[in-house]
Amino acid sequence: MEEEDNIINNNSTVNQPRILTGTDDFKTLLLKSEVFVDKSLLIKEVIEDSASVILITRPRRWGKSLNMDMIEKFLAIEVDQQGNPLPQEQRINNKLFIGGEIDLGFGETKELKPLKIASHESSIKRQGQFPVISISFKDVKGGSYKEIEDGVKDQVTGLYERYKYLEQYNEEKSKLLSNSQKSKLKRYLDGDINKNNLKVSLRFLSEILYKHFGQKVYILIDEYDTPINNAYITFEDKLDKFKKITELFGGIFGSA
């Protein structure tokens, strides 16, 4: 009888749904997990909010990063290597929200169902229509001001590398940018930036993307407070160093 019970218990796990945990990648969650809580109406709230800046505060492990990635996937224009918007039939992000068949590779596909946001026509018309800047300061920590500033430089340099197609505007024949803007853009793309460059880095990138696409830019900043919280703990008895950290991030956030 005990052996029979064991067989029943083992078989009972065969049909359990596959649950993916610990990811903040929205697309991966949809494609690899069979359990998904649809929070897509958050996008509608963001789009319809009249504020220029929205601050989302929730406890750790509350899904902020995942929802931020969902918002980016919804808003962002999908482009080729030259920065040209992809034809509708080549876009993937749209199917994440309105449903459709996704190619998983190796001859496999997955059929996605429409999310709640798909029933809101005004919101869906805005899917994939905006340039989006997304940056996370999750890993920007350190035992000195220089370590933290270098961490920010790494994040900003990596951010600009995603937009390598903007190099075309540094060519002499291009008239989209002024000579000073071309010089500044080259420094960012080369990673040759100082503290003052860091402070205006998000604003400058948004200005160039606006010129490239002719459309407003969304800036998403994840873990914005991690470096400041880390610095507060590390430099609690060194007020001058802590002030340098708040000055740096105050400049970044303020200009953005």
Side-chain angles (χ1 to χ4, degrees), residues 179-197:
N179 288 334
S180 62
Q181 287 176 319
K182 290 179 179 180
S183 176
K184 187 185 293 187
L185 178 59
K186 186 178 187 305
R187 288 202 302 273
Y188 281 113
L189 292 173
D190 290 344
D192 181 22
I193 48 181
N194 56 32
K195 180 179 178 180
N196 289 330
N197 297 141

Side-chain angles (χ1 to χ4, degrees), residues 10-179:
N10 289 338
N11 287 342
S12 68
T13 64
V14 171
N15 296 321
Q16 291 294 318
R18 182 174 56 181
I19 302 175
L20 182 65
T21 61
T23 182
D24 54 13
D25 187 289
F26 178 69
K27 178 183 174 183
T28 298
L29 181 64
L30 276 181
L31 296 182
K32 294 190 176 181
S33 182
E34 294 172 357
V35 175
F36 171 74
V37 179
D38 186 348
K39 297 182 181 180
S40 61
L41 291 183
L42 172 63
I43 300 167
K44 181 175 180 291
E45 292 186 41
V46 170
I47 291 174
E48 294 179 352
D49 197 301
S50 60
S52 296
V53 178
I54 301 173
L55 175 62
I56 300 175
T57 58
R58 288 292 184 274
R60 288 185 61 79
R61 315 308 302 169
W62 214 257
K64 297 186 298 296
S65 297
L66 176 61
N67 284 317
M68 188 99 58
D69 189 65
M70 174 183 69
I71 292 170
E72 179 185 5
K73 291 290 193 303
F74 185 89
L75 295 172
I77 301 172
E78 294 178 79
V79 300
D80 60 20
Q81 291 186 341
Q82 286 71 46
N84 300 312
L86 292 175
Q88 187 64 45
E89 63 272 12
Q90 294 182 25
R91 300 180 187 182
I92 297 176
N93 290 349
N94 185 258
K95 294 180 181 179
L96 302 180
F97 300 95
I98 67 170
E101 188 176 75
I102 300 288
D103 183 5
L104 302 178
F106 302 100
E108 300 176 1
T109 61
K110 181 171 182 177
E111 187 71 27
L112 297 178
K113 298 178 180 179
L115 301 186
K116 293 177 181 178
I117 192 70
S119 62
H120 293 269
E121 183 180 354
S122 178
S123 297
I124 283 297
K125 285 194 294 187
R126 291 163 172 76
Q127 195 283 315
Q129 299 300 311
F130 301 94
V132 176
I133 296 171
S134 180
I135 189 169
S136 173
F137 293 118
K138 178 179 67 175
D139 298 321
V140 179
K141 303 173 185 177
S144 67
Y145 171 80
K146 185 178 186 307
E147 285 184 16
I148 293 176
E149 183 179 296
D150 286 345
V152 178
K153 284 182 180 179
D154 288 342
Q155 294 300 316
V156 169
T157 301
L159 175 65
Y160 273 78
E161 285 178 354
R162 299 179 212 163
Y163 306 94
K164 292 288 284 185
Y165 55 81
L166 295 177
E167 282 183 320
Q168 62 184 294
Y169 299 121
N170 276 340
E171 296 177 4
E172 187 175 345
K173 62 181 180 181
S174 174
K175 303 300 181 184
L176 186 74
L177 306 181
S178 67
N179 288 334

